[in-house]
Amino acid sequence: MAEILVLVDHAEGAVRKPALELLTLARRIGEPSAVVLGAGAAAADIAAKAAEFGAAKVYVADGAEFADQLVVPKVDALTQIAKANDVAGVLVTSSGEGKEVAARVALRLGSGIITDAVDVRAGDQGPVATQSVFAASYTVESRVSNGVPVITVKPNAVAPEAAPAAGAVENVSVEFTGNAARVTSRTPRVSTGRPELTEAAIVVSGGRGVGAAEGFGVVEELADALEAAVGASRAAVDAGWYPHSSQVGQTGKQVSPQLYVANGISGAIQHRAGMQTSKTIVAVNKDPEAPIFELADYGVVGDLFEVLPQLTAEVKAR
Ligand code: FAD
């Protein structure tokens, strides 16, 4: 069966959920092989988790380079493993780093790349990826026609499904090309206790309609009731009401959760660009003509300060 490489994202010794989603998708187009890079002592646990989700093989490579440098060591490893094993595809998470790694790997392999896929299926001539474009106005299916297809997939494209496989570990020694940008310091993100915005299954966002930084209180209460991440429009971020790291949109983060709740957000094209591929969109806005309602699956016309506390109470009651 065609071997599909999956770059496994991990943090603090644990596999991140998008990697399990990639392994689930990879099983549709071939036999997944996980690639675990720079995991140190956690590599065995990560390999075992990958096997639980269908990795027949797990390539493990380690070295200080993975921690000390930015993307290049990962590119070196993934390219060398792809070349040595005659693989039929490479799947990477559509994060900022993932897309940079994938693009460089595709370049080195002399193949094509598809980014921000929301689905992947097997086709007669190789994997077919689905993208959602122009504010979700069009769904595009495409395939790479040259070389090993490299595809980046947005988090939450699929629910991870366990399917135990052999997970035979193969230690790989990588020839590092060097010349990479070096990490000079790392500052851990101050944890809010909420899920990471780009990986969250549910995102609750606030816009200019919340009126002030304190207005985000009702947004956060709903988010916590739903165990969701909190997002913000650029208007809210520019006003200093919420951190830029929470901005959703063209110049912020791209999210693709199962559920996106937009509160007091008009639905400008630049905001849509960051959330249009959400599976279900709910909008709360006091203006019935707000463009967000064109995109929303469910809309509530009303004042968010009246609607959200009721919604939160209802969720908590269940
Ligand atoms: P508004 O457009 O002002 O909408 C506020 C909404 O709240 C209105 O629809 C109003 O009816 C509603 N409202 C008000 N009070 C209440 C209430 N009490 N209850 C319920 N509803 C209420 N924007 C982004 O979000 N992300 C980006 O990444 C981004 N990048 C950009 C990049 C460029 C190059 C440019 C030019 C713009 C970008 N923008 C981005 C800005 C974008 O064009 C919009 O200005 C912005 O999204 C508007 O934010 P908003 O919807 O919160 O505010």
Side-chain angles (χ1 to χ4, degrees):
M1 207 195 259
E3 182 174 4
I4 308 293
L5 289 188
V6 170
L7 179 59
V8 173
D9 264 346
H10 56 85
E12 287 150 19
V15 179
R16 300 184 81 137
K17 185 169 149 265
L20 305 179
E21 296 164 10
L22 290 186
L23 287 164
T24 304
L25 279 176
R27 299 203 305 269
R28 293 187 188 167
I29 54 175
E31 188 169 62
S33 288
V35 178
V36 179
L37 305 175
D45 286 350
I46 292 174
K49 187 78 175 174
E52 233 178 87
F53 283 78
K57 229 192 253 180
V58 184
Y59 298 104
V60 174
D62 213 352
E65 286 82 353
F66 292 110
D68 294 348
Q69 299 175 20
L70 294 181
V71 295
V72 174
K74 287 184 180 164
V75 176
D76 291 336
L78 207 50
T79 310
Q80 286 164 31
I81 294 167
K83 280 187 177 167
N85 293 284
D86 188 26
V87 302
V90 180
L91 298 186
V92 180
T93 302
S94 256
S95 58
E97 182 187 275
K99 283 194 270 192
E100 187 176 350
V101 169
R104 288 169 181 251
V105 168
L107 187 70
R108 289 202 196 169
L109 292 176
S111 60
I113 180 169
I114 299 171
T115 57
D116 290 337
V118 291
D119 202 6
V120 180
R121 64 173 176 83
D124 294 341
Q125 292 162 295
V128 177
T130 306
Q131 293 160 299
S132 175
V133 300
F134 297 139
S137 309
Y138 294 90
T139 298
V140 177
E141 283 206 328
S142 46
R143 68 175 177 82
V144 171
S145 56
N146 189 37
V148 177
V150 179
I151 303 173
T152 76
V153 183
K154 285 190 168 192
N156 294 307
V158 70
E161 282 166 26
V169 172
E170 189 175 314
N171 289 306
V172 179
S173 70
V174 179
E175 212 173 292
F176 294 109
T177 56
N179 206 12
R182 291 195 174 270
V183 177
T184 53
S185 71
R186 286 179 198 276
T187 311
R189 193 166 56 100
V190 179
S191 174
T192 57
R194 300 191 181 99
E196 212 282 313
L197 183 57
T198 56
E199 294 174 9
I202 304 177
V203 175
V204 180
S205 284
R208 205 193 311 265
V210 305
E214 304 76 58
F216 265 90
V218 287
V219 175
E220 289 181 335
E221 279 165 23
L222 177 60
D224 291 341
L226 291 167
E227 296 179 6
V230 175
S233 73
R234 177 157 159 184
V237 169
D238 283 353
W241 301 342
Y242 225 68
H244 179 253
S245 55
S246 301
Q247 183 179 314
V248 172
Q250 184 185 316
T251 43
K253 301 239 167 89
Q254 309 263 313
V255 301
S256 191
Q258 298 293 327
L259 174 64
Y260 187 86
V261 189
N263 304 290
I265 293 176
S266 60
I269 188 83
Q270 296 89 353
H271 187 78
R272 291 178 182 213
M275 45 65 79
Q276 68 199 16
T277 55
S278 305
K279 305 287 178 303
T280 301
I281 297 170
V282 174
V284 179
N285 198 302
K286 67 180 183 186
D287 175 7
E289 304 296 324
I292 191 76
F293 287 128
E294 292 162 16
L295 193 64
D297 299 287
Y298 301 95
V300 181
V301 178
D303 186 331
L304 67 92
F305 293 103
E306 287 171 18
V307 176
L308 295 199
Q310 291 179 52
L311 202 49
T312 305
E314 187 63 34
V315 171
K316 281 185 176 165
R318 288 178 181 218

